[in-house]
Amino acid sequence: GTPLLQKPCQTLLKYCGISFSFSGNLLARHANNLTLSAMNSSTLVCWLGDSDLKAAGPSTHVGLGPIAHALQLYQYDDLLLLCNYPETEVGEYVNWLSNQTSTRLTFHSVELEGPSHFGDIFIAAKKHLREFSTQKGTTKITYHLSPGTPAMATIWVILSKTIFPGELIESS
C-alpha cells in the first residue's frame, strides 16, 4: 500500500517547490544546491518511532522498523537519532540497533511538551543538527520522515529546504 506519509509529503514537497522521486517504497529528494561529491560523510537524521522500539522487542512480526531498514538499504557513516521517549524505554533499542549496523550512532534524548508540538520539535531538531554539524563538519544529510510523528516529519521537510539542506526518505 501507500506509506502513511506519502500523500501529505508529496503535497507539501510540491508546495515547497522540492523535486522528488520514488524508488520502491522510498521517497528521495534531489538536493539542488549541494555538491554531494565534495562531502566526506553521510548522515541519517531521524526521530525514534514506536515501530522502531517494537522492532527491538521479541516479536518477529514487526520487522526491522524504519530506521534499521534504511540503514540496511543505504550506507551512512553516522546516525543522528533524536528521541522523546523516556530513556528507560530506549536503552534496549540503542543496543539492538548498534548490533544491526556499523553506522556510528549519536543519540539525544529530548524533552518535548508533546510529540506534535511544532515549536519544541523545531528548536530541539535545529539545536542538535547545529551541534552535530559543528562536531562533524560537512556531511550529506538524509532526513528519515517515517519514524516519529507527522509534526516531526514536517520539521524535517522545513529544515531540509532551509537551514540544513538534505535529502528526504520515507519507508513503509
Side-chain angles (χ1 to χ4, degrees), residues 39-46 76-82 103-108 124-143 156 164-165:
M39 296 189 182
N40 296 330
S41 66
S42 61
T43 302
L44 181 64
V45 178
C46 54
Y76 296 101
D77 298 298
D78 292 285
L79 168 65
L80 175 58
L81 182 60
L82 303 183
T103 301
R104 289 182 300 265
L105 173 63
T106 302
F107 172 80
H108 292 286
K126 187 172 89 169
K127 172 189 174 206
H128 290 293
L129 276 165
R130 182 164 284 130
E131 288 173 1
F132 188 84
S133 296
T134 300
Q135 292 172 0
K136 297 288 183 176
T138 304
T139 184
K140 176 185 169 193
I141 298 174
T142 301
Y143 299 92
W156 289 146
F164 301 100

Side-chain angles (χ1 to χ4, degrees), residues 68-170:
H69 183 238
L71 292 174
Q72 269 194 349
L73 289 176
Y74 301 104
Q75 180 66 37
Y76 296 101
D77 298 298
D78 292 285
L79 168 65
L80 175 58
L81 182 60
L82 303 183
C83 173
N84 65 313
Y85 289 94
E87 286 189 46
T88 55
E89 294 180 32
V90 178
E92 182 180 332
Y93 177 77
V94 171
N95 290 333
W96 175 83
L97 186 62
S98 296
N99 291 323
Q100 302 294 315
T101 182
S102 61
T103 301
R104 289 182 300 265
L105 173 63
T106 302
F107 172 80
H108 292 286
S109 184
V110 175
E111 268 192 55
L112 303 174
E113 187 173 311
S116 60
H117 191 278
F118 284 94
D120 284 356
I121 295 166
F122 180 79
I123 290 167
K126 187 172 89 169
K127 172 189 174 206
H128 290 293
L129 276 165
R130 182 164 284 130
E131 288 173 1
F132 188 84
S133 296
T134 300
Q135 292 172 0
K136 297 288 183 176
T138 304
T139 184
K140 176 185 169 193
I141 298 174
T142 301
Y143 299 92
H144 201 332
L145 301 178
S146 297
T149 64
M152 293 168 177
T154 301
I155 296 302
W156 289 146
V157 172
I158 292 168
L159 289 171
S160 76
K161 187 63 176 168
T162 58
I163 304 169
F164 301 100
E167 294 182 350
L168 302 169
I169 63 169
E170 178 186 37

